[in-house]
Amino acid sequence: MQATRALRNAARTPLIHFLGKRTPPTAVDHTPRAHPASPSGILPDSFAAYRSKAQQHGPLGRATFASGAIGGSPGASLGPVEPKQGEYFDRNELPERFHRLPWTEAEIEAIETGGASLFS
């Protein structure tokens, strides 16, 4: 007898046994409510009102997308991009003690051999 045929013919019995009949709750309140952690604690009047004030990597207003303003002008027109006092864009702009250390030959060899050169 082949095990595959025996498994196909056997009735499948679930390993989980539920007690009683499944009954969904009779009264569920589906009215919209503000999230408990929302800063204002109130719902917006409409989705359009929410979207006009929302920010996600820039304004989400319709006028921005409809007029083709995104990508319609060069980035230089936004003005200079300079870091604020005490901020840096690259690690090499920091003082010397914060620069990346150069790789040693032993480290390069260990990486290239997958660590096998450390034990030979």
Side-chain angles (χ1 to χ4, degrees):
M1 180 170 155
Q2 294 180 354
T4 310
R5 286 187 187 163
L7 288 174
R8 281 189 196 149
N9 295 334
R12 183 183 175 280
T13 56
L15 297 174
I16 298 174
H17 300 285
F18 296 99
L19 301 175
K21 183 180 177 186
R22 181 179 183 272
T23 55
T26 55
V28 178
D29 184 18
H30 289 290
T31 57
R33 291 186 304 273
H35 192 275
S38 72
S40 64
I42 59 172
L43 288 172
D45 299 334
S46 67
F47 183 71
Y50 158 76
R51 191 161 168 102
S52 67
K53 293 182 244 173
Q55 291 278 331
Q56 179 182 359
H57 311 297
L60 293 176
R62 270 214 180 285
T64 306
F65 295 108
S67 65
I70 294 179
S73 59
S77 68
L78 298 173
V81 180
E82 295 293 327
K84 297 176 186 173
Q85 180 67 27
E87 292 183 357
Y88 299 94
F89 287 151
D90 190 44
R91 194 173 188 172
N92 290 332
E93 296 172 2
L94 292 170
E96 185 72 29
R97 64 182 177 170
F98 297 112
H99 287 197
R100 290 180 180 88
L101 297 174
W103 294 90
T104 64
E105 285 298 322
E107 291 172 326
I108 294 172
E109 184 68 24
I111 291 170
E112 288 179 349
T113 61
S117 63
L118 298 175
F119 299 105
S120 59

